[in-house]
Amino acid sequence: YIQSIDPHQPYSAPEVPPHLESQRPMTAPYDAEIFFNDRQIGRLYERLIQLGLAEDTLFVVTADHGEAFYEHQHQGHGQSVYEEEVRVPLLMLQPGVVPRRIVDRPVQLVDVMPTILKHCSIPFRAEVLQGQDLFGESTSQPRPVFLSRYFYPDGAEIAEFRSDEYNSVIETPWKLIVTLRVGSSQPQLELYNLDNDSGEKSNLASQKPDVVARLHDHLRGFLRRQEQEKLAFRSVYGVQRAARPPIPQNTLDQLRSLG
């Protein structure tokens, strides 16, 4: 497992290629880190080939989040469930074993673990996992994809962290975002057609009440299951927050630097 912290603030790529500067000046430093990181991943994979390990290795590239540049009035990540923050790459490669194809339907990061375990013939209990084996036949059927940005009380001390909660469900091509503002009992609803509005600029919630109702029902079911999972987890492992030893300041600083 290799965690490359780039692309991430502070942006410090060795150089910004001219074509990136001219195409997207505002995001050029970020794009340059993607550009640089992409080539380092390429160097790593070329070395696997040289060592004769590529055909015996399931090579997976993915990310934990995207980055916002004021597409929806804020910058950074961890603050919303809009596409610029939640849509990430997922590539899986093993020459001669994994067939070349592009999956154009949304999948989830929770799918990565069961996919790797199944592919590598490592026993696991599929019924206790929320994700699916992406190489399995069951994933050929469309399924809702869920996204959440919860409010963590520990985040209250960080000024840029919003205390609103965002939940979303994608059922291609539709994406419903449900926002619960602090102090409000009525959620804000946003509906987008990602096929022709990938930037999520045109809210169609008032025009498509039937779609909103269907997706909102899916989302409520997901959130109920999440609460049940939390209760089950706590019943097994317990929650003793007050007894937790203090986290050293240097550890907190490192975690914050990771976002």
Side-chain angles (χ1 to χ4, degrees):
Y1 174 74
I2 296 175
Q3 171 153 341
S4 170
I5 194 59
D6 297 320
H8 206 290
Q9 289 181 324
Y11 306 133
S12 56
E15 63 176 333
V16 178
H19 72 281
L20 296 180
E21 187 71 65
S22 62
Q23 289 176 3
R24 299 205 308 170
M26 180 180 178
T27 65
Y30 175 70
D31 294 339
E33 287 215 342
I34 296 175
F35 186 86
F36 175 76
N37 201 51
D38 182 63
R39 275 143 186 76
Q40 304 316 304
I41 294 172
R43 289 181 60 202
L44 171 63
Y45 193 73
E46 288 294 331
R47 186 62 176 152
L48 286 179
I49 295 174
Q50 293 169 10
L51 295 172
L53 298 174
E55 293 184 357
D56 295 326
T57 302
L58 177 62
F59 194 76
V60 182
V61 180
T62 190
D64 55 340
H65 59 76
E67 199 80 353
F69 289 93
Y70 298 105
E71 294 90 344
H72 293 92
Q73 288 76 55
H74 66 274
Q75 183 177 9
H77 56 266
Q79 301 187 67
S80 80
V81 291
Y82 290 115
E83 291 291 281
E84 59 267 20
E85 291 192 51
V86 301
R87 184 167 181 163
V88 297
L90 175 60
L91 300 93
M92 296 185 175
L93 176 64
Q94 187 172 1
V97 179
V98 177
R100 288 181 177 270
R101 65 184 178 122
I102 296 175
V103 177
D104 58 4
R105 57 181 171 75
V107 298
Q108 306 173 90
L109 286 177
V110 291
D111 297 326
V112 175
M113 182 175 72
T115 302
I116 293 173
L117 294 176
K118 180 71 173 179
H119 184 81
C120 297
S121 301
I122 299 172
F124 68 100
R125 292 174 56 199
E127 71 275 9
V128 303
L129 299 182
Q130 293 180 328
Q132 296 183 7
D133 169 21
L134 295 178
F135 298 144
E137 294 181 1
S138 62
T139 57
S140 61
Q141 299 299 318
R143 58 176 172 141
V145 166
F146 299 100
L147 307 161
S148 291
R149 187 277 180 191
Y150 295 113
F151 170 61
Y152 295 95
D154 288 350
E157 64 195 56
I158 305 174
E160 67 268 24
F161 270 27
R162 301 180 178 188
S163 53
D164 305 323
E165 289 204 353
Y166 303 82
N167 292 287
S168 177
V169 55
I170 299 175
E171 191 176 74
T172 306
W174 299 108
K175 178 177 180 179
L176 176 69
I177 299 176
V178 179
T179 303
L180 187 59
R181 305 286 184 190
V182 173
S184 174
S185 60
Q186 293 297 321
Q188 173 184 320
L189 303 177
E190 299 170 70
L191 181 70
Y192 301 103
N193 185 326
L194 296 180
D195 277 357
N196 52 35
D197 182 23
S198 60
E200 297 160 299
K201 300 300 183 184
S202 179
N203 182 3
L204 303 176
S206 62
Q207 302 175 35
K208 299 285 185 179
D210 54 333
V211 177
V212 169
R214 185 181 76 248
L215 295 185
H216 206 172
D217 189 56
H218 286 326
L219 189 55
R220 290 190 188 98
F222 166 75
L223 294 174
R224 284 195 298 269
R225 292 192 297 274
Q226 290 296 93
E227 287 302 320
Q228 293 167 359
E229 294 288 350
K230 290 177 187 177
L231 291 174
F233 179 87
R234 289 169 180 160
S235 69
V236 174
Y237 297 100
V239 176
Q240 298 180 356
R241 185 181 181 87
R244 184 182 67 186
I247 301 175
Q249 186 59 46
N250 65 328
T251 302
L252 288 173
D253 292 341
Q254 288 177 2
L255 289 171
R256 288 196 177 103
S257 74
L258 292 172

